[in-house]
Amino acid sequence: MRRLVAVKRIVWDAFGHFNDDDGWAMASHLAITALMALFPFLIFSTALASFLGAKAYADTAVHIVFDTWPEQIAEPIAQEVRNVLTVQRGGFLTIGIVIAAFFASNGIEALRTSLNRAYRVEENRSILFRRIQSLAFVFIATLGFLTISVLLVLAPLIGRIAIDAEPWLAPYMGTITLWRYIIASSVIVMALIAVHVWLPAGRRSFTDIVPGILFTLAAWLIGSSMFAAYLEQFSTYVSTYAGLASVMIAVIFLYIVSAIFILGGEINASIRRYSEARARVPG
């Protein structure tokens, strides 16, 4: 009973601070910024991968980003991303690619602003440090995707060699699709840990951020499934927005995801406030 009361207080406190911190408006800002940063990030990362010799990177990056989205939402956007990424570009270190990296880092800055508000911390680091850190996040994410791209290319090759040597292994090899889902999910978890630990001002331990991350993952799964079911059964986006339907669907989906992400930070902050209040109460 006591634990149930604690959970109720934490949840109501988190929702209250979410409203006080303009969480709905920040979710809208984060969703639009994320959509604007998505194409620049993939353009920059594909250019870097091509520069490093990974020609098959684009399709792998699309799978990693969109495999965890509901099919009704991901399919039209993923196709447009592929169209953009298959355009030939003349070299890596061009002004356009540098600008793409800068705009991609704006998505990281939007995450930072949202989490600073959620954790109620004041940002006192220099703008130069924050921008370099955001660009580092973009670059590290690109290298991570590149590594995964190589692994996904090597995995089927190693599997074929193993089956040729030992045919009895064939039924146990599984499929590359399963591994794509596992890898995409792992990337999301690692990204959530990284942004909660390093992006906002102040310090947080791993145990401080775990509840919000677990909530975010569970709520994303439930929210995206419900939105996908709504699109399949009731949606009139195509008739309402015509050619813009896929964009509107992506924006609304990212808005839902962004609100859940911010609320995850609010839950972490609420749990910390509750623990500190309990610690002040005489035993």
Side-chain angles (χ1 to χ4, degrees):
M1 183 66 181
R2 188 174 182 179
R3 187 168 296 179
L4 185 61
V5 171
V7 170
K8 183 178 178 180
R9 287 182 179 177
I10 289 169
V11 170
W12 279 112
D13 181 63
F15 271 103
H17 280 90
F18 179 82
N19 282 314
D20 293 342
D21 294 338
D22 298 319
W24 301 111
M26 287 302 299
S28 178
H29 165 64
L30 186 55
I32 296 298
T33 306
L35 189 61
M36 291 177 64
L38 179 61
F39 280 87
F41 167 70
L42 290 173
I43 290 170
F44 167 78
S45 58
T46 303
L48 176 59
S50 299
F51 178 75
L52 296 176
K55 302 297 184 183
Y57 172 87
D59 193 56
T60 302
V62 169
H63 277 299
I64 295 170
V65 172
F66 293 105
D67 271 356
T68 52
W69 291 32
E71 184 179 354
Q72 299 92 327
I73 303 165
E75 188 174 356
I77 297 295
Q79 185 56 51
E80 292 303 320
V81 170
R82 286 192 183 91
N83 293 340
V84 171
L85 297 186
T86 52
V87 173
Q88 294 295 321
R89 293 178 174 82
F92 167 61
L93 292 177
T94 64
I95 296 298
I97 297 302
V98 172
I99 292 174
F102 177 82
F103 277 107
S105 70
N106 286 342
I108 307 297
E109 288 300 313
L111 292 175
R112 187 197 309 278
T113 302
S114 300
L115 287 176
N116 278 336
R117 286 196 174 196
Y119 286 115
R120 292 190 174 274
V121 290
E122 185 176 348
E123 185 60 70
N124 51 18
R125 294 168 292 184
S126 70
I127 187 172
L128 180 61
F129 172 86
R130 298 198 305 269
R131 184 57 67 171
I132 291 174
Q133 187 188 47
S134 295
L135 288 169
F137 264 83
V138 172
F139 193 74
I140 291 170
T142 298
L143 293 181
F145 278 23
L146 178 59
T147 302
I148 293 167
S149 177
V150 173
L151 290 175
L152 288 177
V153 171
L154 287 177
L157 177 61
I158 294 172
R160 284 195 297 270
I161 294 172
I163 291 172
D164 289 340
E166 301 289 344
W168 60 271
L169 289 173
Y172 304 98
M173 294 304 294
T175 63
I176 198 65
T177 302
L178 174 63
W179 280 106
R180 278 208 303 259
Y181 279 105
I182 294 173
I183 290 171
S185 300
S186 301
V187 167
I188 290 175
V189 172
M190 290 187 292
L192 282 172
I193 293 171
V195 297
H196 278 277
V197 170
W198 288 303
L199 275 189
R203 293 182 180 275
R204 283 151 300 280
S205 67
F206 180 72
T207 54
D208 289 336
I209 65 174
V210 167
I213 289 176
L214 293 178
F215 166 81
T216 300
L217 293 172
W220 276 357
L221 179 62
I222 296 170
S224 60
S225 299
M226 291 176 63
F227 186 51
Y230 164 73
L231 289 176
E232 188 174 348
Q233 299 295 329
F234 308 109
S235 177
T236 58
Y237 283 101
V238 173
S239 60
T240 304
Y241 296 106
L244 293 175
S246 60
V247 176
M248 290 302 302
I249 290 171
V251 168
I252 294 172
F253 174 71
L254 288 172
Y255 179 78
I256 294 170
V257 168
S258 299
I260 292 170
F261 171 79
I262 296 171
L263 193 54
E266 294 283 5
I267 286 174
N268 285 337
S270 181
I271 291 173
R272 187 168 184 172
R273 284 191 297 270
Y274 179 81
S275 299
E276 290 173 349
R278 290 285 301 170
R280 290 194 296 267
V281 175

